Amino acid sequence: MSENRFDRTAERYAAAARERDWASFVEFCVPLPDDRALDVGAGPAILSGELAHHVAEAVAVDTSAAMLAHAPPGVVTVVAEAERLPFEDGAFTLVTCAKTLHHVRDPAAVLAEMARVLAPGGRLVVQDYLADDDPERAERWDTVERLRDPGHGRLPAEGEVQRLLEPLGLVLDDERSWESTWELEPWIEMAAPPEAAADRIRRMVGADRFTVRAWSARFVSR
C-alpha cells in the first residue's frame, strides 16, 4: 500500500470515515458476540470501532501508524502489511477488507493471507470498486486512480475475488453491488496529489462528478 501518502492524508481520511454510515456494512458482516474480528487495511479503524460494539474483540491492521492513531477506544491496532499478517492460522472468525484490495501490490496474496487467518466456519467480507467490463475503459480509469494515488494497483474485475477465494476453501454466501457517485474535486483533494496530476485527472474525467460500481461480498470458510 502507498504508506507515505496515507500517513500524509490520515487526518482527512479519518474525518471522512467518521462521517460514513457503516451500519449496512456492519449488518452485512453478520457480527456475533463471540467473534474475534480483523479488519485488513483498516486505515483509521473506524469500521473496527463499529464492529467492536458487536464482537468480543476487534483488531485493525494497516501499514500506516498515522492512520491507526485515529482508532476508536477498544480497538486493538497492529502495524503490518496485508500480504504478511502477523497472526496464527484460524485466529479470527470474522475478517473484513473494505476498499483496500485496489491499493495492494498482490491482491491474490492478501486474499490468501485473510483466508489463512480465518477460522473454519468464519466469514470473510470484502468491499471495493469493480473494474469496467471493457478492458480499455478499465485501464483508463486505473490510470486516473494512479494519478491521484501512485499506490493504486487496479480495481478488481467482476468475479475475480470469488475465483481467487474458492480454491482456498471459501464459498460465496452473499453479494451486492450498486452505483457510487463522487464529486470530483473533493475526491481529488482527499488524496492531495501534485497539481499537475490533479489537472490531468480533471481533463481525463471531463466532468464535475463521476460514478463507479461498488461491490460487497461475504464468503464463508468451509
Side-chain angles (χ1 to χ4, degrees):
M1 281 176 277
S2 182
E3 182 176 358
N4 290 339
R5 197 272 281 182
F6 285 113
D7 284 344
R8 178 168 47 85
T9 57
E11 293 282 349
R12 300 178 191 185
Y13 274 86
R18 292 189 195 100
E19 292 177 0
R20 178 179 173 182
D21 184 356
W22 292 96
S24 62
F25 186 72
V26 169
E27 181 181 3
F28 188 67
C29 293
V30 194
L32 302 173
D34 59 349
D35 273 333
R36 188 179 187 215
L38 172 68
D39 189 31
V40 178
I46 306 304
L47 171 57
S48 293
E50 295 296 321
L51 286 170
H53 300 300
H54 305 276
V55 301
E57 183 179 25
V59 180
V61 167
D62 201 90
T63 59
S64 171
M67 280 283 206
L68 290 175
H70 294 275
V75 174
V76 177
T77 60
V78 179
V79 178
E81 293 190 358
E83 295 88 347
R84 290 179 290 277
L85 296 173
F87 307 109
E88 296 181 357
D89 295 359
F92 298 91
T93 51
L94 173 61
V95 177
T96 56
C97 183
K99 301 180 183 177
T100 294
L101 280 182
H102 67 271
H103 291 299
V104 302
R105 295 182 295 272
D106 188 348
V110 172
L111 290 169
E113 273 292 272
M114 291 193 292
R116 180 185 65 79
V117 302
L118 184 66
R123 285 137 289 131
L124 192 160
V125 184
V126 181
Q127 184 178 100
D128 215 312
Y129 302 105
L130 294 178
D132 195 286
D133 293 334
D134 179 87
E136 290 187 6
R137 289 199 294 266
E139 178 55 36
R140 178 180 174 83
W141 186 252
D142 279 331
T143 298
V144 170
E145 292 270 12
R146 291 184 196 113
L147 286 167
R148 178 177 179 263
D149 171 19
H152 173 83
R154 62 176 178 82
L155 297 185
E158 184 173 7
E160 179 180 0
V161 172
Q162 182 177 353
R163 289 193 297 272
L164 291 170
L165 287 176
E166 282 182 343
L168 303 174
L170 281 93
V171 295
L172 180 65
D173 186 44
D174 195 7
E175 68 178 335
R176 58 184 66 168
S177 64
W178 63 97
E179 298 299 306
S180 180
T181 300
W182 293 77
E183 297 291 332
L184 182 64
E185 289 303 323
W187 182 73
I188 293 173
E189 183 180 350
M190 178 73 70
E195 191 55 35
D199 285 342
R200 189 177 172 198
I201 291 169
R202 295 182 184 103
R203 292 195 299 271
M204 291 185 71
V205 175
D208 293 335
R209 63 180 60 187
F210 62 90
T211 299
V212 290
R213 188 157 51 123
W215 164 85
S216 291
R218 184 176 64 245
F219 300 86
V220 176
S221 177
R222 288 190 290 233

